[in-house]
Amino acid sequence: MRKASWRSIGPGIVVAATGVGAGDLVATLIAGSKFGYTLLWAAVIGCLVKISLAEAAGRWHLATGRTLFDGWRSLGAWTTGYFAVYVAVWGFVYGAAAMSSSALPLQALFPEVMDLKWWAVLCGVGGLVFVWFNRYAVFEKVMTVLVGVMFVVTVYLAIRVTPHLGEAFAGLAPVLPDGSLIYTLGLIGGVGGTITLAAYGYWVNAKGWTDTSWMRVMRLDNRVAYVTTGIFVIAMLFVGAELLHSSGVALATGDKGLLDLGDVLADRYGTATAKLFLIGFFATSITSLIGVWHGVSLMFADFTAQMKARKAAAGPDGATKEVASGAREKSVAFRGYLLWLTFPPMALLFLDQPFGLVIVYGVIGAFFMPFLALTLVWLLNSSRTPAEWRNGWLSNGMLTAAGLLFVVLCVQQVRDLPW
């Protein structure tokens, strides 16, 4: 077993940064604005849930030498069908959303340069070019720098609003104020909870970690990453509680809520603080964009390789070592999915999203996190996993609780769709 070292940390930072998007930060801000510090405990539990899910995905890759999609395929053809529809529809709609989210702070910083749609196109093409021509090592370094920017900006804002630490510590006690259930579930399940949690095992392999000797390193990497995520979330909850809750300011839902916060910061603390916040907003959005461009493309490349039943992708060690070699990042499937994420979604930037597509996207997206949690429970308690690395009581408890939580959130998301 290799010694866990801070110098080895990387894939966890990538998955945490990718999973926390602008919409997640708005949800946290709104929770803080409505309930102050009361739901801080939910944000902490949410980070523990994500640590459990990412650890399980990484453990599967290292313990079995098989990729997560290889594991899903062993559960039956239904998993392949679900994943195929998911990556096609989800990627098409998410591509437009990620480009728009990254464009919003750029247009706010440079309002006279070009229209929002063209900023979005530039972000999409920039992400495509960066991921196309760089392998995992460079990708990880750039993501780490962007996470540093996010960290500095969010912590600075949290300190600037001078939080009441006594009230914050009181918020660690589990309390549910009237009307807070959905916000509580959203804080636990939403922040950092996307398909990129499933990509964690692929990034672990891309780092060069391919066997159980890396297990201790992977677990340290994962914990550090989600503690960092927890700090982001708590910092934004502080901002919502202090800056918005006391003054009764309401934010728009979705990414545009962060522009509203920028206006509040400009009024309260001046233009320089507002611009610094917009830089942090851009770092948050662009990490999600390039993280998905790389991670989900890597998963799609594995999906196509498994479907072709190539010798290198069959059986233990073949697939994970191929990911580690960098071959998947050069494959036609990887680059084809990059193009799918970038160019077809541009049509949605210039058109209203088709009603039926929004419904399908909402339904399959809502089902992904329950699918991930419950299939990990299945895989890691079966003979597919060596006995030494199967789930213990803690992992089973956390993953089962996560699965049930995501089922409840799934039902709520589907009910809230504009049927």
Side-chain angles (χ1 to χ4, degrees):
M1 189 73 71
R2 298 173 191 267
K3 185 178 179 181
S5 169
W6 294 95
R7 294 182 181 180
S8 302
I9 290 168
I13 295 294
V14 171
V15 73
T18 305
V20 179
D24 297 309
L25 295 187
V26 172
T28 307
L29 281 167
I30 291 175
S33 70
K34 287 181 176 291
F35 302 104
Y37 294 108
T38 309
L39 300 182
L40 182 60
W41 63 273
V44 173
I45 289 177
C47 289
L48 296 176
V49 167
K50 305 311 181 305
I51 287 172
S52 301
L53 284 164
E55 187 276 338
R59 177 156 45 95
W60 167 263
H61 278 244
L62 296 181
T64 65
R66 299 168 69 180
T67 61
L68 187 54
F69 181 77
D70 191 10
W72 285 339
R73 192 177 61 157
S74 73
L75 299 179
W78 65 276
T79 59
T80 301
Y82 172 75
F83 185 78
V85 175
Y86 182 87
V87 293
V89 179
W90 181 88
F92 183 54
V93 180
Y94 180 83
M99 287 185 268
S100 294
S101 179
S102 300
L104 281 169
L106 290 176
Q107 190 193 38
L109 284 165
F110 310 104
E112 306 300 325
V113 175
M114 66 176 97
D115 184 71
L116 178 67
K117 294 182 177 64
W118 294 110
W119 277 119
V121 169
L122 180 63
C123 290
V125 173
L128 168 72
V129 171
F130 171 73
V131 174
W132 189 290
F133 290 105
N134 290 291
R135 301 282 74 83
Y136 174 79
V138 175
F139 163 73
E140 182 190 285
K141 286 182 174 65
V142 171
M143 290 287 279
T144 302
V145 170
L146 291 169
V147 167
V149 173
M150 292 165 59
F151 188 89
V152 169
V153 171
T154 54
V155 171
Y156 167 76
L157 289 176
I159 294 171
R160 190 70 191 268
V161 300
T162 57
H164 292 79
L165 295 180
E167 294 178 24
F169 282 118
L172 294 173
V175 175
L176 276 177
D178 290 342
S180 68
L181 180 60
I182 298 303
Y183 293 96
T184 303
L185 293 175
L187 272 178
I188 296 173
V191 179
T194 68
I195 190 174
T196 52
L197 280 167
Y200 179 59
Y202 290 86
W203 283 322
V204 162
N205 292 153
K207 180 77 170 176
W209 306 346
T210 57
D211 56 47
T212 56
S213 69
W214 292 100
M215 197 71 75
R216 187 179 297 166
V217 178
M218 180 274 291
R219 284 171 168 163
L220 174 66
D221 172 75
N222 177 42
R223 289 165 188 162
V224 169
Y226 279 99
V227 166
T228 305
T229 301
I231 294 171
F232 292 153
V233 173
I234 290 168
M236 295 309 283
L237 195 73
F238 281 10
V239 173
E242 294 293 344
L243 196 62
L244 307 176
H245 181 63
S246 58
S247 57
V249 175
L251 298 183
T253 56
D255 300 346
K256 291 185 179 179
L258 292 185
L259 293 183
D260 292 346
L261 178 61
D263 293 338
V264 174
L265 289 169
D267 291 340
R268 185 74 62 91
Y269 301 112
T271 304
T273 297
K275 288 189 180 298
L276 180 65
F277 166 71
L278 289 172
I279 292 169
F281 178 2
F282 175 71
T284 301
S285 298
I286 202 68
T287 52
S288 293
L289 186 151
I290 62 176
V292 166
W293 264 228
H294 186 276
V296 185
S297 296
L298 204 54
M299 292 183 70
F300 183 77
D302 183 51
F303 166 72
T304 57
Q306 299 283 351
M307 290 298 94
K308 291 177 181 177
R310 297 190 314 193
K311 184 177 180 181
D317 298 328
T320 56
K321 287 183 177 178
E322 190 171 349
V323 174
S325 72
R328 291 278 165 85
E329 294 168 274
K330 300 174 185 176
S331 68
V332 172
F334 180 91
R335 290 176 168 172
Y337 195 72
L338 266 179
L339 295 171
W340 174 253
L341 281 168
T342 307
F343 292 108
M346 289 180 184
L348 298 182
L349 298 174
F350 295 89
L351 300 169
D352 289 332
Q353 293 183 8
F355 179 78
L357 188 63
V358 171
I359 297 295
V360 175
Y361 170 75
V363 171
I364 63 170
F367 276 94
F368 184 78
M369 291 303 288
F371 170 78
L372 174 62
L374 298 174
T375 54
L376 282 171
V377 171
W378 190 347
L379 290 170
L380 291 167
N381 283 288
S382 72
S383 59
R384 299 171 182 85
T385 304
E388 180 185 359
W389 300 109
R390 291 177 196 163
N391 278 358
W393 66 268
L394 181 60
S395 292
N396 275 326
M398 291 297 290
L399 291 176
T400 302
L404 295 174
L405 166 71
F406 290 127
V407 167
V408 173
L409 285 171
C410 172
V411 171
Q412 185 63 38
Q413 284 177 264
V414 171
R415 288 177 58 189
D416 289 344
L417 287 170
W419 294 98

